[in-house]
mmCIF file of all heavy atoms in Angstrom:
data_model
loop_
_atom_site.group_PDB
_atom_site.id
_atom_site.type_symbol
_atom_site.label_atom_id
_atom_site.label_comp_id
_atom_site.label_asym_id
_atom_site.label_seq_id
_atom_site.Cartn_x
_atom_site.Cartn_y
_atom_site.Cartn_z
ATOM 1 N N TYR A 156 -12.864 22.195 -0.913
ATOM 2 C CA TYR A 156 -11.968 22.400 0.230
ATOM 3 C C TYR A 156 -11.393 23.802 0.058
ATOM 4 O O TYR A 156 -10.850 24.131 -0.996
ATOM 5 C CB TYR A 156 -10.872 21.351 0.161
ATOM 6 C CG TYR A 156 -9.918 21.303 1.330
ATOM 7 C CD1 TYR A 156 -10.260 20.647 2.507
ATOM 8 C CD2 TYR A 156 -8.651 21.857 1.230
ATOM 9 C CE1 TYR A 156 -9.367 20.555 3.563
ATOM 10 C CE2 TYR A 156 -7.750 21.774 2.282
ATOM 11 C CZ TYR A 156 -8.118 21.123 3.446
ATOM 12 O OH TYR A 156 -7.238 21.035 4.487
ATOM 13 N N VAL A 157 -11.540 24.635 1.082
ATOM 14 C CA VAL A 157 -11.154 26.041 0.955
ATOM 15 C C VAL A 157 -9.848 26.304 1.706
ATOM 16 O O VAL A 157 -9.771 26.104 2.923
ATOM 17 C CB VAL A 157 -12.251 26.972 1.510
ATOM 18 C CG1 VAL A 157 -11.775 28.437 1.495
ATOM 19 C CG2 VAL A 157 -13.530 26.823 0.706
ATOM 20 N N THR A 158 -8.832 26.716 0.962
ATOM 21 C CA THR A 158 -7.574 27.152 1.565
ATOM 22 C C THR A 158 -7.509 28.667 1.467
ATOM 23 O O THR A 158 -7.642 29.235 0.377
ATOM 24 C CB THR A 158 -6.369 26.528 0.836
ATOM 25 O OG1 THR A 158 -6.365 25.123 1.081
ATOM 26 C CG2 THR A 158 -5.059 27.115 1.341
ATOM 27 N N LEU A 159 -7.350 29.310 2.615
ATOM 28 C CA LEU A 159 -7.233 30.767 2.642
ATOM 29 C C LEU A 159 -5.758 31.139 2.750
ATOM 30 O O LEU A 159 -5.076 30.731 3.678
ATOM 31 C CB LEU A 159 -7.996 31.337 3.843
ATOM 32 C CG LEU A 159 -7.831 32.847 4.080
ATOM 33 C CD1 LEU A 159 -8.381 33.659 2.913
ATOM 34 C CD2 LEU A 159 -8.522 33.257 5.390
ATOM 35 N N LYS A 160 -5.302 31.892 1.782
ATOM 36 C CA LYS A 160 -3.928 32.384 1.815
ATOM 37 C C LYS A 160 -3.890 33.785 2.411
ATOM 38 O O LYS A 160 -4.643 34.662 2.010
ATOM 39 C CB LYS A 160 -3.363 32.433 0.385
ATOM 40 C CG LYS A 160 -1.983 33.092 0.315
ATOM 41 C CD LYS A 160 -1.616 33.478 -1.103
ATOM 42 C CE LYS A 160 -0.554 34.581 -1.102
ATOM 43 N NZ LYS A 160 -0.314 35.112 -2.451
ATOM 44 N N LEU A 161 -3.007 33.962 3.389
ATOM 45 C CA LEU A 161 -2.752 35.295 3.939
ATOM 46 C C LEU A 161 -1.271 35.589 3.743
ATOM 47 O O LEU A 161 -0.438 34.694 3.861
ATOM 48 C CB LEU A 161 -3.075 35.343 5.436
ATOM 49 C CG LEU A 161 -4.478 34.932 5.877
ATOM 50 C CD1 LEU A 161 -4.570 34.895 7.411
ATOM 51 C CD2 LEU A 161 -5.526 35.891 5.318
ATOM 52 N N ALA A 162 -0.924 36.811 3.424
ATOM 53 C CA ALA A 162 0.488 37.207 3.321
ATOM 54 C C ALA A 162 0.609 38.518 4.083
ATOM 55 O O ALA A 162 0.137 39.560 3.626
ATOM 56 C CB ALA A 162 0.919 37.376 1.864
ATOM 57 N N THR A 163 1.188 38.439 5.276
ATOM 58 C CA THR A 163 1.118 39.576 6.184
ATOM 59 C C THR A 163 2.473 39.899 6.794
ATOM 60 O O THR A 163 3.395 39.096 6.779
ATOM 61 C CB THR A 163 0.158 39.286 7.359
ATOM 62 O OG1 THR A 163 0.726 38.264 8.170
ATOM 63 C CG2 THR A 163 -1.209 38.856 6.873
ATOM 64 N N SER A 164 2.535 41.078 7.388
ATOM 65 C CA SER A 164 3.622 41.426 8.291
ATOM 66 C C SER A 164 3.413 40.665 9.596
ATOM 67 O O SER A 164 2.360 40.064 9.823
ATOM 68 C CB SER A 164 3.617 42.930 8.544
ATOM 69 O OG SER A 164 2.443 43.287 9.247
ATOM 70 N N LEU A 165 4.419 40.711 10.460
ATOM 71 C CA LEU A 165 4.300 40.049 11.769
ATOM 72 C C LEU A 165 3.164 40.633 12.588
ATOM 73 O O LEU A 165 2.654 39.980 13.496
ATOM 74 C CB LEU A 165 5.603 40.232 12.558
ATOM 75 C CG LEU A 165 6.564 39.068 12.618
ATOM 76 C CD1 LEU A 165 7.793 39.464 13.394
ATOM 77 C CD2 LEU A 165 5.920 37.838 13.228
ATOM 78 N N ASP A 166 2.784 41.855 12.304
ATOM 79 C CA ASP A 166 1.662 42.437 13.032
ATOM 80 C C ASP A 166 0.359 42.366 12.232
ATOM 81 O O ASP A 166 -0.566 43.131 12.479
ATOM 82 C CB ASP A 166 1.978 43.852 13.546
ATOM 83 C CG ASP A 166 2.423 44.824 12.472
ATOM 84 O OD1 ASP A 166 2.917 44.366 11.420
ATOM 85 O OD2 ASP A 166 2.284 46.045 12.677
ATOM 86 N N GLY A 167 0.286 41.403 11.307
ATOM 87 C CA GLY A 167 -0.987 41.057 10.688
ATOM 88 C C GLY A 167 -1.496 42.033 9.648
ATOM 89 O O GLY A 167 -2.684 42.050 9.333
#
Side-chain angles (χ1 to χ4, degrees):
Chain A
Y156 186 81
V157 175
T158 292
L159 174 63
K160 173 196 158 188
L161 304 174
T163 67
S164 66
L165 258 178
D166 55 337

